[in-house]
Amino acid sequence: MKVIAVRQKILKANSQAARENRARFSRERVCVVNILGSPGAGKTALLERIAGSNDLSMAVLEGDPETAMDAERMEKAGAAVIQVVTRGTCHLDANMVQLALPRLDYRNRDFLFVENVGNLLCPASFDLGETMRWVVLSTAEGADKPFKYPAAFKTAKAVVINKIDLLPYLDFSMDQVKDGLAQICPKARVFKVSCKTGEGIDPLMGWLRGFSRNPAKTNSKS
Ligand SMILES: Nc1nc2c(ncn2[C@@H]2O[C@H](COP(=O)(O)OP(=O)(O)OP(=O)(O)O)[C@@H](O)[C@H]2O)c(=O)[nH]1
Ligand SMILES: [Mg+2]
């Protein structure tokens, strides 16, 4: 019983910080995208692709248990970036984001992307005050993941199925994953991409532009 009480207390404290973050992001008119996905799904690769399209301005908050490797990649890709090292904690929380913001040049940019710690369990429980969540799911992980990790998928505004270039070598069932997504998150936009080849990135970028500060640059927002 005590374990449950502690968890509730942690989540309550997180909700308060998340509310503060959300109010701040709304005041500052920055769209914040919290990206969830397993280790190696291609979260950083996707952000590198987005940074490569130079009509959108972005900042990135990287969350990893150790190292600044992803921040180094994003810096190379031209984004303003800060690395949060959680020292083994399996998720980012709203307070970590709050502490990092003063050291990140994210204001007046179209997007602040938060790359959460790689896993589909813990990050799902922690609201960061983001505008929307995405899940990156790579074909190599298997098509059953929406059924197994519904908490990660159910709040997703977009699901990015990455590594479609590997489909000829895998028994990944697109029908099964579509079935899972239809049941768990029927309203999520689904994009099939290869961050390696660039296939499928354009439709994702077109949709993303709808959330920028100047949506005139854009196609659709839903
Ligand atoms: N074949 C193929 N490989 C990819 C693709 N996208 C990413 N990769 C590779 O997959 C590996 C993991 O990619 P990352 O972008 O580091 O994955 P991540 O989700 O950021 O991983 P963590 O930050 O460790 O959780 C790298 O070796 C990438 O080059 C893709 O579309 N196709
Ligand atoms: Mg990464």
Side-chain angles (χ1 to χ4, degrees), residues 16-103:
Q16 175 59 29
R19 266 197 300 278
E20 289 165 15
N21 289 351
R22 188 163 280 114
R24 173 183 190 153
F25 296 141
S26 159
R27 218 172 34 245
E28 295 170 341
R29 290 182 54 241
V30 59
C31 180
V32 181
V33 184
N34 181 8
I35 303 184
L36 277 56
S38 303
K43 299 177 292 298
T44 313
L46 178 64
L47 289 172
E48 287 172 322
R49 278 279 169 193
I50 294 171
S53 91
N54 39 28
D55 62 324
L56 292 176
S57 56
M58 61 190 270
V60 179
L61 190 158
E62 286 288 354
D64 278 293
E66 294 293 344
T67 87
M69 287 172 171
D70 283 0
E72 283 159 19
R73 284 169 63 183
M74 290 317 305
E75 201 161 42
K76 230 178 189 172
V81 63
I82 189 159
Q83 178 80 52
V84 174
V85 175
T86 64
R87 296 275 179 250
T89 300
C90 57
H91 59 270
L92 291 172
D93 66 34
N95 195 44
M96 293 178 197
V97 171
Q98 218 165 69
L99 290 172
L101 288 178
R103 288 187 255 169

Side-chain angles (χ1 to χ4, degrees), residues 137-146 161-162 164 166-167 169-178 192:
L137 167 68
S138 71
T139 54
E141 290 163 56
D144 53 1
K145 295 302 167 288
I161 301 173
N162 186 32
I164 58 170
L166 296 181
L167 284 172
Y169 314 103
L170 301 168
D171 59 2
F172 183 88
S173 162
M174 208 48 94
D175 286 342
Q176 187 188 10
V177 82
K178 276 186 182 159
K192 294 184 246 171

